């Protein structure tokens, strides 16, 4: 089955620690996205990538970093500079050229502070 | 101007009733308006979507009504069922955001509870 796999489902971060969230897709989508979801605030865009080896900051990129070395993979690192990392993180993907294609989401990673 | 305002924040409907969720926007550059459904612990899933040249789109029990002049759109769930209980997000796509053609701006979500 084609889809987006996020891992782990739950993650705990200690003070001063960087943690990396995994996102893999087998939909052959060009574009991939990372969102942060907080209660009552909807989804906010952290980073997006339209093509391998290229990515752009979204609306709340501070304290996060990404890489796009393969089309299928778009890992997100939550750095120690992100002072409020507790949230539900969602990865999504879509075709870029065909403007009628929606974004497909994974089932998220819930990050908490120890 | 990039915001999408969604209301209500929460909604309780009796089984068989009609659920209505409203969204409003300001930016006329938005060109595509999807609705997503999210169950607890899961990612959002596309429910139904509409383009601004259409005033209404229906898929089964779900209907989007779109008022371009008022810059408003709404989701109607007919014959609401307990299995419809979820969080619903409206969204609007911003054309040509820094070269990306698929940037979505999300509303803040509506938690729907359908009582049996």
């Amino acid at each position: 089955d084609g889809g987006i796999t996020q891992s782990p489902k739950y993650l705990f971060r200690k003070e001063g620690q960087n943690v990396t969230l995994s996102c893999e897709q087998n939909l052959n989508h060009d574009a991939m996205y990372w969102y942060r979801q907080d209660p009552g605030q909807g989804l906010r865009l952290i980073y997006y990538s339209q093509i391998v080896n290229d990515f752009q900051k979204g609306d709340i990129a501070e304290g996060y970093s990404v890489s796009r070395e393969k089309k299928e993979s778009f890992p997100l690192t939550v750095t120690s500079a992100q002072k409020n990392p507790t949230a539900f993180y969602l990865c999504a993907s879509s075709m870029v050229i065909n403007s009628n294609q929606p974004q497909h989401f994974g089932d998220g990673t819930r990050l908490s502070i120890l | 101007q990039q915001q999408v305002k969604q209301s209500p924040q929460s909604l309780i409907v009796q089984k068989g009733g009609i659920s209505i969720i409203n969204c409003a926007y300001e930016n006329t550059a938005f060109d595509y308006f999807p609705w997503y459904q999210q169950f607890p612990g899961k990612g959002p899933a596309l429910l139904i979507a509409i383009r601004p040249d259409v005033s209404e789109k229906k898929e089964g029990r779900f209907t989007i009504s779109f008022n371009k002049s008022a810059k408003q759109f709404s989701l109607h769930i007919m014959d609401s069922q307990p299995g419809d209980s979820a969080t619903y997000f409206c969204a609007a796509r911003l054309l040509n955001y820094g070269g990306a053609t698929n940037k979505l701006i999300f509303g803040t979500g509506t938690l729907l509870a359908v009582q049996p």
Side-chain angles (χ1 to χ4, degrees), chain A residues 28-101:
Chain A
N28 199 32
H29 284 168
D30 301 300
M32 297 186 74
Y33 313 79
W34 274 105
Y35 292 90
R36 171 179 171 139
Q37 185 175 20
D38 296 280
Q41 294 195 49
L43 280 70
R44 293 181 291 168
L45 184 64
I46 303 172
Y47 267 98
Y48 65 96
S49 168
Q50 296 188 89
I51 196 169
V52 173
N53 293 323
D54 182 63
F55 48 83
Q56 305 295 330
K57 293 181 179 180
D59 300 318
I60 56 166
E62 186 175 350
Y64 300 97
S65 66
V66 294
S67 63
R68 186 89 187 274
E69 297 177 1
K70 298 186 300 181
K71 185 176 184 178
E72 304 80 21
S73 179
F74 191 40
L76 173 74
T77 296
V78 183
T79 75
S80 57
Q82 172 50 244
K83 298 306 180 188
N84 184 23
T86 298
F88 191 48
Y89 291 88
L90 288 160
C91 179
S93 70
S94 71
M95 298 300 291
V96 174
I97 304 302
N98 186 333
S99 62
N100 288 323
Q101 291 299 312

Side-chain angles (χ1 to χ4, degrees), chain B residues 81-115:
Chain B
Q81 299 296 312
D84 297 331
S85 298
T87 299
Y88 292 81
F89 292 96
C90 63
R93 185 175 66 190
L94 188 61
L95 196 61
N96 292 327
Y97 172 78
T101 58
N102 212 340
K103 190 207 178 186
L104 291 177
I105 310 295
F106 284 86
T108 51
T110 296
L111 180 61
L112 172 65
V114 181
Q115 294 185 336

